[in-house]
Each structure stands twice: as C-alpha cells, then as structure tokens.
C-alpha cells in the first residue's frame, strides 16, 4: 500500500475515497480510490468507474483553482506491468507546474506494416464500435466530425485556462 499508507482522507462517500498521500509525486497529488475490491479498472462496476473518473475530472478543476497549477495529469497504473504498486485501482490526480521536474515521458515505438495490421485486426472491436455504447446501450457510430466539435461556454477548457492566466 505505497500511496495509501499514511494518506490523509479528504472526503469519501459510499463508493470512493479521495486521499492525499504524504509521499506523492508533487505537492497536492491526490488519489481517488474505490471502496470495492478491484485490482484493475475492468473489475470495477460501471457506476463506480463513472464516479471515479467524474470525480477525478472535478478534482482537476479544484487543483487548478486552489493551487493555481498550470496543468494536471490523470494517471492510472492498470496492472503490475503498468507500474501498479498498490493492490487496488488508484486514480492519481496530479497538479502540474512548468518545470516541476516530474517526467511522464515515454519513447514512441514505430510499428511496421505487418505489426500495425496485426494490431488492427486484434483491436477491430473498436472499429466495430462494440466498445462505444450509445445512451440507450446500443452500439453507435462515431462520426469524424464529432471529434472536431468545439465546446463553447463556461465549461470550455481554453476559456478557463485564459481566465487563470489573467490572475
């Protein structure tokens, strides 16, 4: 229990806890932990997973406002091969500042045509939209125009960033 040992509980409900580890990646590092026994995301009930990710997103806003950070990372080490050190799903919510010294960079790997084709075949479920449910539970088609939709108004990330820059 590396991150959860000696962590301070900030809030909790019946499904999740928000904690601040005493030895986090940076000051203000928060973790969101489900109260159910789940080692990886796929073991979580969909309602708990939705709550975990929604709360993580809201905590990013809290960190922007309270700590005046320049950015945030949402980070899950999903399995031992991904660096998971605790025996539970943990969503890390990490405030970031320019030149904070924290480096989450990975080197890119160029795939050959054969390997790309094999992966495309193995992951074809995504192309068939099996993994993207609609609001009524049916599979849906994602139009490329949807990906370019511009969100306007008070919830716009860029508008919030601009306001933060004016402080």
């Amino acid at each position: 229990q590396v991150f959860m040992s000696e962590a301070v509980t900030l809030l909790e409900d019946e499904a999740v806890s928000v904690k601040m580890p005493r030895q986090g990646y940076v000051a203000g590092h928060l973790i969101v932990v489900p109260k159910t026994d789940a080692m990886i995301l796929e073991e979580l009930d969909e309602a708990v997973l939705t709550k975990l990710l929604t709360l993580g997103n809201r905590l990013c806003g809290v960190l922007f406002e309270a700590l005046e950070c320049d950015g945030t990372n949402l980070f899950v080490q999903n399995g031992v091969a991904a660096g998971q050190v605790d025996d539970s799903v943990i969503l890390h919510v990490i405030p970031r500042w320019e030149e904070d010294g924290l480096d989450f960079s990975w080197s890119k790997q160029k795939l050959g045509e054969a390997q790309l084709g094999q992966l495309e075949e193995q992951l074809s479920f995504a192309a068939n939209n099996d993994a993207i449910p609609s609001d009524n539970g049916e599979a849906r088609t994602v139009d490329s125009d949807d990906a370019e939709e511009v969100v306007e108004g008070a919830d716009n990330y860029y508008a919030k960033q601009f306001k933060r820059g004016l402080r």
Side-chain angles (χ1 to χ4, degrees):
Q1 302 295 359
V2 174
F3 285 100
M4 291 191 288
S5 65
E6 299 185 35
V8 176
T9 301
L10 300 177
L11 62 98
E12 63 184 337
D13 66 11
E14 69 286 344
V16 297
S17 295
V18 176
K19 299 174 183 281
M20 185 170 48
R22 292 191 189 275
Q23 293 184 335
Y25 291 124
V26 295
H29 174 182
L30 303 175
I31 58 175
V32 185
V33 183
K35 290 189 172 179
T36 59
D37 290 330
M39 286 288 295
I40 59 173
L41 289 172
E42 293 80 2
E43 294 176 347
L44 285 176
D45 174 73
E46 192 168 322
V48 174
L49 177 60
T50 299
K51 183 164 209 160
L52 183 87
L53 296 174
T54 300
L55 184 55
N57 183 48
R58 290 182 179 156
L59 289 170
C60 287
V62 168
L63 292 173
F64 274 119
E65 298 300 322
L67 302 182
E68 297 184 5
C69 57
D70 300 321
T72 58
N73 285 118
L74 290 176
F75 189 63
V76 175
Q77 294 163 305
N78 202 34
V80 175
Q84 184 174 354
V85 293
D86 286 290
D87 60 356
S88 176
V89 170
I90 296 176
L91 175 63
H92 298 266
V93 185
I94 304 166
R96 300 299 306 274
W97 292 270
E98 294 291 328
E99 301 184 33
D100 61 14
L102 192 56
D103 185 10
F104 284 132
S105 61
W106 292 278
S107 58
K108 296 178 185 173
Q109 297 179 1
K110 184 167 176 97
L111 301 177
E113 288 301 316
Q115 188 179 19
L116 188 61
Q118 181 182 2
L119 286 168
E120 183 179 13
E121 186 177 316
Q122 289 173 311
L123 299 174
S124 64
F125 70 89
N128 292 325
N129 299 309
D130 292 343
I132 308 172
S134 67
D135 292 338
N136 63 8
E138 299 291 322
R140 69 180 175 96
T141 301
V142 178
D143 189 321
S144 62
D145 292 336
D146 292 342
E148 297 176 7
E149 182 178 314
V150 176
V151 179
E152 297 179 4
D155 292 334
N156 185 315
Y157 168 79
Y158 296 104
K160 286 182 178 180
Q161 285 296 87
F162 179 73
K163 287 179 189 176
R164 288 183 186 107
L166 294 177
R167 287 189 202 158

